[in-house]
Amino acid sequence: MGKLKSYQEQLQEIVDKGINAAEEQQKKLASKPFDYAEKLESEAREYSVKTLRKRYNGYSDSLFEQLRSLNSRFGNFAGDLVAKLEKEAAEGADAVAEAAEDVSDAAQDAKKSVEPKKPAARKTTARKTTSTAKKTTASA
């Protein structure tokens, strides 16, 4: 289950890099109109272009910070989920091992109760027959 944690961390890094790249591109694109507006600005107003840019960048920064926070919360959620899955898998493996042990014990008990016990006389007779057959073969 360590692989799941690794995948979760990699996914979180990919999302974070994507957010950073999107933020950088958005700022580059958004700065062009403000650059032109600042060049054209001739007199100070209540809301100058510079003030508008600061506000816009403030909102933009806030948006990307919220996205990063969401990504972090997602990472925490995924980490908790992975931990729960690992715990359940370990508990399941323990339960399977216990059940297998019980089945093995039951099989051994059943095998012992089913195996026929051979009488001692038959074993002796079998040996005599074998040695008699050898003597017959040797004399011929």
Side-chain angles (χ1 to χ4, degrees), residues 46-60:
E46 185 178 334
Y47 292 105
S48 69
V49 173
K50 287 184 180 183
T51 304
L52 290 174
R53 179 189 287 230
K54 285 180 184 178
R55 283 187 176 186
Y56 178 82
N57 286 339
Y59 295 140
S60 177

Side-chain angles (χ1 to χ4, degrees), residues 6-134:
S6 174
Y7 292 147
Q8 174 257 319
E9 289 172 354
Q10 289 176 2
L11 180 62
Q12 194 171 359
E13 286 178 20
I14 289 169
V15 170
D16 196 40
K17 287 179 182 178
I19 292 169
N20 290 338
E23 179 182 27
E24 183 179 321
Q25 290 301 316
Q26 182 272 336
K27 284 185 178 182
K28 283 181 183 178
L29 291 172
S31 71
K32 294 193 183 264
F34 292 111
D35 290 341
Y36 291 118
E38 285 175 354
K39 288 179 183 177
L40 298 174
E41 184 180 41
S42 60
E43 57 187 72
R45 299 183 194 147
E46 185 178 334
Y47 292 105
S48 69
V49 173
K50 287 184 180 183
T51 304
L52 290 174
R53 179 189 287 230
K54 285 180 184 178
R55 283 187 176 186
Y56 178 82
N57 286 339
Y59 295 140
S60 177
D61 290 343
S62 175
L63 170 67
F64 288 106
E65 281 305 312
Q66 288 176 0
L67 288 172
R68 285 187 187 91
S69 174
L70 181 62
N71 185 36
S72 176
R73 289 184 4 211
F74 170 75
N76 291 338
F77 172 75
D80 291 345
L81 185 60
V82 166
K84 286 178 184 177
L85 288 173
E86 286 176 340
K87 182 181 176 186
E88 287 179 15
E91 289 171 355
D94 290 344
V96 168
E98 285 180 27
E101 207 172 291
D102 291 344
V103 168
S104 176
D105 290 345
Q108 291 296 328
D109 292 343
K111 183 179 177 184
K112 288 177 186 176
S113 69
V114 172
E115 285 181 345
K117 295 185 180 180
K118 296 179 183 176
R122 283 191 177 180
K123 287 183 183 177
T124 307
T125 308
R127 286 186 191 155
K128 285 182 183 177
T129 306
T130 306
S131 61
T132 305
K134 285 183 184 177

